């Protein structure tokens, strides 16, 4: 995206598709407030009226577990954007007196309820679902369901026109809805900006930094970082025991490394998700055996399903120097307090997308971050504030 394109640029245009409305589901209220603040600021600078684009909505439940969607303001004729985090397990509801955490299935049902509540009155429905529902079950190996593909088709049938997701586990799931708008966005610029801000003495050159892919599935992400930074790329591949299945997957026997020496170099590892974190830590320990310098890992979704204790230990032992993750999904208060965790704020990026789509402007400059990264590296080289 070029410098001359700012948030006000969109609101200075007169070709809005329709009035803008945003529904931030309960799971995404915090992120929704940040996005709205950017949009309101841009609208005011361009002399547009309006104090907020957020529309109040909720999904109350009966004690039996049944629920309903309720939109508390008119959205007739509006360009409606719905923001949801299907991974937010901090949202709770009562079922026969028992308190339950909402699962991705529960969030998806509530999303459909809100779309139904709109009653076809919105001019257009756009969905921002950073963590794609069912995205980890992206292919069929045996007699298995294809949850993500079916969910996308269901949303299309409900009238959703566009879906914006971030760092999908496998973006080829969009083949299930080939004529529906589907943008898979990688927040690489925001990640590098957070990395340079948090680690000011990091030197992004071949002599001091190396990118390492944690497995073959993450190669395209790490190839991009290696390419734009002009540094070497290495990779690990997972040697699995295909004779048995443990917790739904073939257990990893060993991580094998392919690439140049990492001795004395800082290492940056990028992946889409840190789930248990077991693989990321195994790789970090392997890199330390090879005399790597500081190790910084990044995941778009740092969810830590097995807790933080192992990462605390790795940080104290000097194995991991920092972990970066976005605010696109729920982060526990304990994680946010960790010295080793650094948050990548993507709210402004999403606000750009909403403004561009609402004005029927191309998002290609927003998706392609090469120019912004080039400017970022130039600032880094010149010693300017990032």
């Amino acid at each position: 995206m070029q410098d001359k394109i700012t948030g006000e640029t969109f609101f200075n245009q007169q070709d809005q598709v329709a009035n803008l409305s945003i529904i931030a589901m309960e799971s995404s209220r915090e992120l929704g407030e940040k996005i709205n603040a950017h949009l309101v600021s841009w609208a005011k600078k361009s002399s547009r009226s309006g104090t907020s684009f957020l529309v109040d909505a909720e999904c109350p439940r009966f004690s039996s577990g049944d629920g309903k969607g309720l939109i508390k303001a008119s959205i007739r004729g509006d360009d409606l954007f719905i923001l949801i985090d299907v991974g937010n397990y901090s949202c709770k509801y009562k079922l026969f007196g028992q308190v339950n955490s909402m699962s991705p299935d529960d969030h998806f049902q509530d999303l459909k309820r809100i779309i139904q509540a709109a009653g076809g009155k919105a001019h257009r429905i756009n969905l921002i679902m950073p963590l794609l529902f069912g995205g980890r079950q992206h292919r069929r190996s045996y007699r298995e369901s294809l949850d993500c593909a079916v969910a996308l088709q269901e949303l299309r049938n409900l009238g959703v026109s566009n879906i914006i997701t971030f760092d999908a586990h496998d973006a080829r799931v969009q083949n299930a809805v080939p004529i529906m708008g589907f943008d898979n966005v990688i927040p690489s610029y925001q990640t590098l900006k957070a990395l340079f801000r948090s680690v000011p003495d990091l030197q992004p050159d071949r002599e001091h930094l190396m990118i390492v892919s944690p497995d073959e599935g993450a190669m395209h992400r790490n190839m991009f970082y290696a390419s734009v930074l002009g540094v070497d790329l290495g990779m690990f591949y997972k040697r699995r025991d295909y004779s048995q299945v443990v917790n739904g997957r073939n257990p990893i026997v060993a991580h094998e490394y392919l690439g140049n020496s990492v001795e004395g170099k800082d290492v940056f590892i990028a992946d889409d998700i840190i789930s248990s974190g077991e693989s990321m830590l195994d790789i970090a320990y392997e890199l330390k055996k090879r005399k790597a310098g500081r190790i910084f890992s990044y995941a778009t979704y740092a969810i830590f399903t097995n807790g933080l204790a192992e990462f605390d230990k790795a940080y104290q032992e000097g194995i991991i120097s920092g972990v970066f993750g976005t605010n696109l999904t729920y982060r526990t208060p304990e994680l946010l307090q960790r010295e080793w965790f650094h948050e990548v704020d993507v709210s402004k990026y999403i606000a750009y997308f909403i403004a561009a789509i609402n004005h029927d402007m191309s998002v290609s400059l927003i998706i392609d971050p090469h120019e912004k990264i080039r400017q970022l590296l130039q600032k880094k080289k010149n010693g300017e504030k990032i």
Side-chain angles (χ1 to χ4, degrees):
M1 185 168 53
Q2 300 169 355
D3 277 343
K4 63 180 180 181
I5 297 183
T6 62
E8 305 92 81
T9 303
F10 298 110
F11 286 96
N12 283 327
Q13 306 294 321
Q14 300 302 315
D15 56 349
Q16 266 186 297
V17 169
N19 288 333
L20 174 61
S21 290
I22 301 172
I23 293 177
M25 303 289 285
E26 181 188 358
S27 58
S28 297
R29 292 280 163 82
E30 179 188 352
L31 182 59
E33 291 287 351
K34 288 186 175 183
I35 294 168
N36 182 62
H38 289 299
L39 291 167
V40 169
S41 173
W42 297 339
K44 286 181 178 178
K45 288 179 181 178
S46 60
S47 301
R48 290 283 182 93
S49 60
T51 57
S52 176
F53 296 103
L54 289 173
V55 173
D56 195 13
E58 65 175 347
C59 291
R61 287 178 182 263
F62 301 98
S63 57
S64 61
D66 294 336
K68 64 179 179 179
L70 175 62
I71 300 175
K72 299 182 179 179
S74 173
I75 45 87
R76 184 181 295 273
D78 288 358
D79 196 17
L80 180 62
F81 287 79
I82 303 176
L83 176 66
I84 186 169
D85 173 19
V86 297
N88 190 341
Y89 60 92
S90 73
C91 300
K92 301 181 186 299
Y93 65 94
K94 283 191 175 182
L95 177 65
F96 288 92
Q98 302 293 318
V99 177
N100 283 1
S101 293
M102 289 184 68
S103 70
D105 289 355
D106 291 321
H107 285 297
F108 189 67
Q109 282 299 119
D110 278 357
L111 170 63
K112 291 190 289 185
R113 291 179 175 118
I114 289 297
I115 294 173
Q116 292 175 61
K121 301 301 188 295
H123 175 78
R124 183 174 65 178
I125 296 177
N126 311 276
L127 175 61
I128 302 172
M129 183 188 286
L131 185 59
L132 196 59
F133 173 77
R136 297 184 74 182
Q137 176 55 21
H138 60 284
R139 66 176 182 267
R140 174 178 284 156
S141 299
Y142 305 102
R143 293 184 184 89
E144 299 173 328
S145 62
L146 292 171
D147 293 20
C148 189
V150 171
L152 291 176
Q153 292 177 350
E154 199 169 359
L155 291 170
R156 177 199 60 197
N157 294 338
L158 284 169
V160 174
S161 299
N162 299 300
I163 292 181
I164 300 169
T165 190
F166 281 76
D167 206 350
H169 192 66
D170 190 335
R172 288 174 294 183
V173 295
Q174 66 185 286
N175 293 338
V177 284
I179 60 173
M180 184 173 73
F182 187 101
D183 288 305
N184 178 46
V185 188
I186 311 294
S188 49
Y189 166 70
Q190 289 72 19
T191 302
L192 289 175
K193 190 174 183 179
L195 176 64
F196 293 160
R197 280 181 171 176
S198 301
V199 192
D201 63 338
L202 187 73
Q203 299 183 57
D205 55 49
R206 286 181 184 273
E207 289 72 35
H208 301 93
L209 179 66
M210 192 164 173
I211 308 297
V212 173
S213 176
D215 55 38
E216 59 274 20
M219 273 297 288
H220 66 284
R221 297 178 182 89
N222 290 277
M223 284 174 65
F224 177 84
Y225 286 111
S227 175
V228 297
L229 294 175
V231 299
D232 290 333
L233 172 68
M235 72 162 287
F236 281 88
Y237 70 91
K238 297 172 181 175
R239 188 150 52 86
R240 294 181 180 272
D241 180 1
Y242 288 100
S243 66
Q244 57 178 318
V245 176
V246 179
N247 294 327
R249 62 178 185 174
N250 303 109
I252 298 168
V253 176
H255 289 90
E256 305 288 354
Y257 177 70
L258 297 172
N260 295 336
S261 172
V262 297
E263 185 173 351
K265 294 182 180 180
D266 291 333
V267 175
F268 180 72
I269 310 167
D271 208 350
D272 61 332
I273 186 169
I274 292 177
S275 185
S276 66
E278 177 185 333
S279 293
M280 192 66 79
L281 287 177
D282 286 347
I283 288 166
Y285 281 104
E286 287 294 327
L287 288 170
K288 280 298 182 181
K289 289 179 184 177
R290 292 167 171 79
K291 302 181 180 179
R294 294 175 298 179
I295 298 173
F296 302 98
S297 60
Y298 161 77
T300 307
Y301 305 104
I303 58 177
F304 297 99
T305 56
N306 286 6
L308 306 174
E310 291 299 317
F311 277 82
D312 287 338
K313 178 184 175 185
Y315 178 67
Q316 291 165 5
E317 294 175 352
I319 304 299
I320 288 279
S321 295
V323 178
F324 291 78
T326 69
N327 59 343
L328 292 169
T329 192
Y330 175 68
R331 294 93 55 228
T332 63
E334 293 78 18
L335 175 62
L336 295 175
Q337 292 170 4
R338 289 302 196 269
E339 184 181 16
W340 47 263
F341 181 72
H342 306 277
E343 185 167 278
V344 179
D345 185 7
V346 192
S347 60
K348 191 174 184 179
Y349 200 18
I350 296 176
Y352 274 122
F353 262 91
I354 291 175
I357 293 172
N358 179 239
H359 289 80
D360 256 356
M361 294 178 69
S362 173
V363 298
S364 59
L365 291 175
I366 301 174
I367 293 175
D368 184 0
H370 282 89
E371 179 59 22
K372 292 289 284 183
I373 292 175
R374 188 194 66 77
Q375 295 175 13
L376 182 67
L377 290 172
Q378 190 61 46
K379 284 185 178 181
K380 177 74 173 172
K381 183 178 179 180
N382 296 338
E384 299 176 32
K385 184 178 180 181
I386 295 175

